[in-house]
Amino acid sequence: MNLKLFPGRVSTKVSTKSNNRVMKREERRLQQNQIRKNKRDEAIDKKRKLGGLTKSAPFLTCFVALNEFIDINSALAVIESCEEDAIVNKSNPNITYLKSLRLKQRFTFVQANYENELKALDLLKVCDSTVFLVSAATGDDFIDKGGEKFLNLALSQGIPTPLIALMDLESIAPKKRTQFKNDVQKLLNNHFPEEKLMTLDKASDGLNMLRRIGGQKRNTIHNKENRAHLYAEKAEYNEGTLKVTGYLRSIPFNVNGLVYVPELGTFQISQ
């Protein structure tokens, strides 16, 4: 019979010596390089999952007017006409698809009406970027009471990568435009101290907006990033089954899990 002898009790000092070993300078350098590489690869992989011409979800951008007299379709018309070769499609009046061959990116634009607060806030939960529209044509009241209230609600919930666009600046005398922009910027600094005001009147402004949406750094909203979510671009109901079509975003979806549909409840997936 062969017996294998195991060491008895080992002193704490001996057993933890290797774990508390101080790394050498070269080892610390290699460890930091590996951490940076992992973070860079993660950021690149996350960026590639959005906005590409193929095999990725388009940039989902929500447009919100902060005054009831602002027409969101006018802003979208500027963006749609900023590139001659752009391919524009509309599945319904509130969803616009744009494929930019110049930027090699795809975009989906949706509209939110702050009068329906809950629906607009649910829309912000799934978007990648948010464009808030203000207009010089509304005078000093470029953010009305409804817009101010919704802005506060959105800030409390979390706004996905905001942008602020100023429209109708050409309706003001040229000598007063700079001062007006500074006044608007000063007011918006109370809500967005790091965001710079953009203009949206000409085709060049629309192209700059597309570049900004496609290239800006994304805000991290953990309650969105930690859950799979989908914006239903098309919905069909037939014989007790709801079929939705859209791009799945964030983490992979568990087919055995439950799905929450706003205003309807939680359901199990059939296929």
Side-chain angles (χ1 to χ4, degrees):
M1 180 174 63
N2 297 327
L3 297 177
K4 186 174 182 180
L5 300 178
F6 295 92
R9 183 177 180 181
V10 181
S11 65
T12 304
K13 183 177 180 180
V14 175
S15 63
T16 59
K17 184 176 180 181
S18 59
N19 295 333
N20 294 333
R21 183 178 65 85
V22 178
M23 292 189 298
K24 297 179 181 179
R25 178 183 297 178
E26 183 66 17
E27 292 175 334
R28 292 197 302 270
R29 186 183 67 83
L30 293 176
Q31 185 186 54
Q32 293 299 323
N33 289 341
Q34 186 64 39
I35 292 174
R36 284 195 295 268
K37 182 178 182 301
N38 292 339
K39 289 184 178 180
R40 184 169 59 251
D41 293 342
E42 182 181 355
I44 292 174
D45 181 66
K46 188 176 180 180
K47 189 174 182 179
R48 286 175 177 172
K49 291 180 180 179
L50 279 178
L53 292 180
T54 58
K55 297 182 180 180
S56 61
F59 294 107
L60 183 57
T61 304
C62 179
F63 280 73
V64 182
L66 296 180
N67 190 294
E68 61 178 345
F69 296 107
I70 298 176
D71 184 14
I72 298 179
N73 290 318
S74 299
L76 293 176
V78 176
I79 296 176
E80 293 169 10
S81 61
C82 69
E83 182 181 343
E84 294 182 357
D85 298 332
I87 302 174
V88 180
N89 295 312
K90 291 189 177 184
S91 60
N92 64 62
N94 293 325
I95 304 178
T96 303
Y97 305 94
L98 188 145
K99 182 177 181 180
S100 174
L101 301 179
R102 181 175 181 178
L103 302 178
K104 297 182 180 180
Q105 293 176 328
R106 291 182 300 140
F107 305 85
T108 300
F109 304 125
V110 295
Q111 304 180 27
N113 185 356
Y114 67 71
E115 293 181 356
N116 192 339
E117 296 172 353
L118 295 179
K119 185 176 180 180
L121 290 173
D122 285 340
L123 188 56
L124 291 184
K125 290 180 181 179
V126 298
C127 289
D128 303 309
S129 303
T130 308
V131 179
F132 292 102
L133 299 175
V134 294
S135 175
T138 58
D140 296 334
D141 189 24
F142 38 80
I143 301 181
D144 58 15
K145 293 182 179 179
E148 184 71 25
K149 180 182 178 182
F150 178 77
L151 198 56
N152 292 328
L153 291 174
L155 287 169
S156 300
Q157 173 182 275
I159 299 177
T161 317
L163 295 92
I164 302 96
L166 175 62
M167 302 175 59
D168 305 317
L169 184 61
E170 296 182 355
S171 63
I172 297 179
K175 293 183 179 180
K176 297 182 180 180
R177 291 176 186 174
T178 303
Q179 182 60 39
F180 185 85
K181 286 183 63 177
N182 292 336
D183 293 340
V184 177
Q185 182 72 65
K186 185 177 179 180
L187 178 64
L188 293 173
N189 282 341
N190 297 329
H191 303 289
F192 308 103
E194 298 180 358
E195 294 299 324
K196 185 178 180 181
L197 184 67
M198 301 182 65
T199 56
L200 189 59
D201 287 325
K202 299 179 291 185
S204 58
D205 298 333
L207 190 59
N208 290 335
M209 177 69 71
L210 290 180
R211 287 198 180 100
R212 183 79 176 275
I213 294 173
Q216 66 184 165
K217 184 179 179 180
R218 308 286 162 188
N219 290 349
T220 300
I221 302 178
H222 296 288
N223 62 349
K224 182 182 75 169
E225 298 297 332
N226 297 334
R227 296 175 176 84
H229 54 274
L230 179 145
Y231 175 72
E233 301 175 359
K234 183 180 179 181
E236 299 177 3
Y237 186 78
N238 186 18
E239 298 181 357
T241 302
L242 178 64
K243 179 181 178 181
V244 295
T245 304
Y247 290 93
L248 187 65
R249 301 169 185 271
S250 190
I251 63 176
F253 182 73
N254 182 9
V255 295
N256 297 320
L258 299 176
V259 176
Y260 173 73
V261 181
E263 301 181 4
L264 294 179
T266 305
F267 303 90
Q268 178 71 45
I269 291 183
S270 61
Q271 63 181 22

